[in-house]
Every structure is written in C-alpha cells, then in structure tokens.
Amino acid sequence: MRTLLAIFCPFLIILSIYLGDLQAVVIDLGIDVLVENHFHGLEAKRIGLITNRSAVNKNGISTIDLFFHSPQVKLVALFTPEYGLYGLEPMKKNGSYVDSQTNLPVYPLIGDDLKPTAEMLQNVDVLVFDLQDIGSRSFTFLSTMGLAMEAAAENGKEFFVLDRPNPLGGERVEGMPFDNHFRSFYSEWDIPYIHGMTPCEIAVMINGENWIFKKPKLTVVPMKGWDRSMLWKDTGLSWYPPSPYLPNEESPFYFAISSFLGISPEIDNGIGTAFPYKFIGASRIDPYFFSRQMNKRKIPFCYFRPIFYWSFFGKFRDRMLGGCQIHIQDFSKVKLVEIGLHLLQELMMELNQEPLASLNADQMEFFDRFCGTDEIRRGFLSGKRIQEIVESWDSYIQNFKEKRKKYLLYSSQPLTQ
C-alpha cells in the first residue's frame, strides 16, 4: 500500500499543477502556490487542516487529498467549520468522529467548540486554514479562522492561511458597521458587513489589529493572478458550494442581500427552496403588489419578479408563500446591503411592522448580533429613512477602508505580466 501511495502521490501533484493548461483558469489559489513550492514551511510537520470539501485547487482536486497524499507533510487531523466536512450538512454536528476516506479524526468547530481545544491540538504542529469564504461578515468561516488562530497561539502552534478569492470582489465595501456590543460568532471582527478582503488579508489584519488575545506565528500563502476588480466569474474557477445554501457562484451576492431577513419569523428568504436567498416571501404577501412596489423604488441594477412558491423545509414548510425573486442585472455595480434594507422596509409596510415588532427577546438578540449592530432594527421601528441609516455608516466605512490599506495583498488593477 505504501508503495502504491509513493507512486501515486507525485502523479497527483504533477497532475494538479499542469492540468491548468487545459482550462481557462486565470489564477493560482493559495493551495496551488503551496504545492508548486513543495509545501515550503510545512515539510515533515504534523498538520491539522481546517477545511471542507469546497476547498479544492484550481483543477478541482481536494486540498485534503493533496495534503493526505503528499510525502512532504503529515496530515494528522481535520477541523471543519459550520456545515461540516463535505459542506452539505444542513444541521450542526457536535463531537469528533473519524473520516471514512482518510481514517483521520475530524473535529467540528461549531456548537460548544468554536475553536480547537488543547486536546485536539495535542498531536498537531501547524494548523492550516483553507476554506472558501463568501465576502459577508456574518458567514462564519472567518470567525472560525480567527478563533483557531488564537487557539494556535495559546497552544504554541504555527498557523498557515491559504488564500482564496473574495467572490464579491476586493473593491466592494458596504455596511452594516460592527458594534462591539453585538460581537458574536456571526460578527466576530471589526469589519463591515461586506468587507472586500480575502482570508489571508483578514488573518493579517486580525494579528495586526490585536483582535485576539494571543497571536500565533502566522504564514500566509497569497494567490497569483488575482486582483481586486475580479468577481468569481473573472477567475475561471469552478464553484464548489461551501454550504448547502450556496449552490452557485452568484449565491454569495444574494446571501449578502437577504441572509439577515430570514431571522424574522415573518419572512422567508428562500431557505428550503431551490433558490436560497433569491426568493423573498411571506404567507400574507400579494406577490404582484409587493414586486410592483419594489420595482417602483427603482433600485439600480436590480429587478423583482412576482412569485408564489412552496418551502420544502424550515419554518414555512409545506406552506404557500408569496413574494418576489431578486434578479441582479449587474453584479459589479449593484448595492447589496441597500437592496436588503429596501426589501425589509417594504415587508414592514405590508405586514404592519411585524417582521421586527414581533421578535421575542431571543430573536431580537440574534437579529442584532447577526447584523453586528442594533441600528437596523431600531432605525426601522422608529421610522428612519434608509438613506439616513446608510449615510450614518459613511464614517465607519471610510475609516475601515483607510485602516485596511496596510493589510491588502493585491492591487486594484490587473497586474501586467
């Protein structure tokens, strides 16, 4: 068996490097750069890999397989974020188990163990993070990364981050702002709701801004060929869903618009349908009137189509809902957070304020923590205009843009070869 592995490993790695010539991929991911550099810095070390099956190289070969079959490193443990190792489990799973494919222990970083414990790290020399983030603060992968960085430092372990594109691009920065009073796993770092940064850039910022109590020895492995103007479609990469609710490369845009709306017990955001985050509805909405009112708002680069639909699971299971399907017409120019605010405002008007007024104490706390601020809830209930709310974020956004400059690893224009 060892002989077969020794023969197969070099073939797998060579294949992962040179198959790119047959595809339209225009960038090298962090994992590609690491393999090309023969796992430099990780040689002969015991690796704990924080990943899931959405983390692949530019040719679709799993990061897990590349580490597991490499003779240069020793993969000893797997750590998984929300949605599990295969990125398909809709329910949170607590407790370690053994992966049937690699026979390695798997530690879910969710529930009671949001960061690795000393026991989990006992046989690990280096933690390596390779996950596909989606560019919105409330998506928990970057929270997992920073907390794991802190755990690595507390236990004397090194930390590597392998970079991946921000699907929303590196230039888009939008509210909602971060308020430390509402810090949670869904809003862990002092970054806007849409931050325009990559995992490596955020990791360097976490260390540089002292956002964790103890900082690890950090190594980042940037991409080659990516620039800040690129959306996912510009990279030539295939999309591998990091969660069951992000099925294609457009999904991160719709997540940024509507993920926070689904916290309200009165609003459905498409979870439980084939169009998560693209459908917005409620059980007492006339879809034709609602869509007409939304289109009257003349939101640039966005159109709303009336729909009736059923939800197959979740809080509206087996109930007929009315609402709209969101259609983004220009992904590079549309203002994502503002669309979500307009949808919420219209729903509040048509449902007599119930989407927010009906929240119980736990739902209210979760809504505010997910948003990273209570300004949305309080502003809408007090009748503030959307423009007034958005303009109040300007100083935070400008300060963040200035602060992040020293942590950016990529230019805003394509690099000349």
Side-chain angles (χ1 to χ4, degrees), residues 109-372:
L109 300 179
I110 199 69
D112 296 332
D113 295 314
L114 294 181
K115 68 180 188 179
T117 65
E119 183 179 3
M120 296 175 189
L121 296 175
Q122 185 175 2
N123 297 316
V124 169
D125 299 316
V126 186
L127 276 176
V128 177
F129 179 92
D130 190 17
L131 283 169
Q132 180 57 58
D133 186 51
I134 65 168
S136 294
R137 183 181 60 211
S138 62
F139 195 68
T140 59
F141 285 8
L142 295 183
S143 297
T144 294
M145 179 183 73
L147 294 174
M149 288 170 59
E150 187 173 62
E154 291 168 345
N155 291 276
K157 313 298 181 181
E158 295 181 59
F159 202 90
F160 273 59
V161 181
L162 311 184
D163 219 3
R164 292 185 172 272
N166 185 323
L168 306 181
E171 297 177 339
R172 183 194 307 270
V173 179
E174 301 179 24
M176 302 160 271
F178 171 85
D179 183 336
N180 194 53
H181 292 96
F182 300 98
R183 183 175 182 175
S184 73
F185 192 50
Y186 296 94
S187 288
E188 194 73 54
W189 314 121
D190 189 2
I191 56 179
Y193 193 73
I194 298 177
H195 48 77
M197 298 177 73
T198 69
C200 277
E201 292 175 333
I202 292 289
V204 175
M205 193 172 194
I206 289 171
N207 260 11
E209 296 296 316
N210 300 308
W211 288 341
I212 50 181
F213 291 111
K214 196 168 184 180
K215 300 182 291 185
K217 179 184 177 184
L218 176 65
T219 300
V220 296
V221 184
M223 298 172 281
K224 290 181 180 178
W226 190 79
D227 73 81
R228 313 206 75 78
S229 68
M230 285 183 172
L231 305 183
W232 189 271
K233 64 182 177 61
D234 303 314
T235 66
L237 296 166
S238 298
W239 178 260
Y240 293 82
S243 99
Y245 311 125
L246 300 166
N248 56 59
E249 66 185 43
E250 296 180 355
S251 298
F253 292 87
Y254 293 96
F255 178 97
I257 291 172
S258 68
S259 57
F260 74 99
L261 300 178
I263 298 171
S264 169
E266 302 294 325
I267 301 174
D268 178 76
N269 64 354
I271 299 298
T273 76
F275 298 91
Y277 305 118
K278 293 185 180 182
F279 283 3
I280 302 296
S283 57
R284 294 182 287 116
I285 288 288
D286 176 347
Y288 295 96
F289 179 80
F290 178 70
S291 298
R292 194 159 53 243
Q293 293 302 106
M294 286 301 302
N295 286 322
K296 281 182 180 179
R297 292 171 178 257
K298 298 187 183 301
I299 300 171
F301 313 111
C302 194
Y303 174 76
F304 303 90
R305 182 174 68 89
I307 54 168
F308 287 103
Y309 65 97
W310 290 85
S311 184
F312 299 111
F313 61 87
K315 60 188 176 185
F316 290 102
R317 180 178 179 179
D318 296 333
R319 292 168 63 182
M320 177 70 78
L321 302 172
C324 70
Q325 181 175 355
I326 309 166
H327 290 273
I328 297 175
Q329 296 168 319
D330 190 327
F331 286 91
S332 65
K333 296 178 181 178
V334 71
K335 298 282 188 173
L336 301 172
V337 172
E338 290 185 30
I339 297 173
L341 296 181
H342 279 285
L343 285 163
L344 178 57
Q345 186 181 66
E346 190 63 38
L347 288 161
M348 292 278 285
M349 293 170 63
E350 297 195 27
L351 296 174
N352 195 29
Q353 306 296 302
E354 287 187 19
L356 294 181
S358 66
L359 298 179
N360 62 34
D362 288 341
Q363 291 166 341
M364 187 184 305
E365 180 182 14
F366 185 32
F367 184 88
D368 292 346
R369 291 190 180 280
F370 194 91
C371 293

Side-chain angles (χ1 to χ4, degrees), residues 12 18 21 56 59 86 91 115 152 222 235 324 328 339 368 411:
L12 178 66
Y18 291 107
D21 293 338
V56 299
N59 300 308
Y86 295 95
M91 302 301 292
K115 68 180 188 179
T235 66
C324 70
I328 297 175
I339 297 173
D368 292 346
S411 70

Side-chain angles (χ1 to χ4, degrees), residues 6 33 82 181 222 276 330 405:
V33 175
E82 189 173 13
H181 292 96
D330 190 327
K405 284 182 180 178

Side-chain angles (χ1 to χ4, degrees), residues 15-51:
L15 186 67
S16 75
I17 294 172
Y18 291 107
L19 271 180
D21 293 338
L22 303 178
Q23 302 186 23
V25 178
V26 296
I27 69 169
D28 286 341
L29 299 164
I31 180 62
D32 296 305
V33 175
L34 185 72
V35 170
E36 288 166 10
N37 292 331
H38 309 290
F39 294 88
H40 178 68
L42 296 173
E43 301 94 332
K45 294 180 179 178
R46 298 172 299 174
I47 308 300
L49 183 59
I50 306 170
T51 195

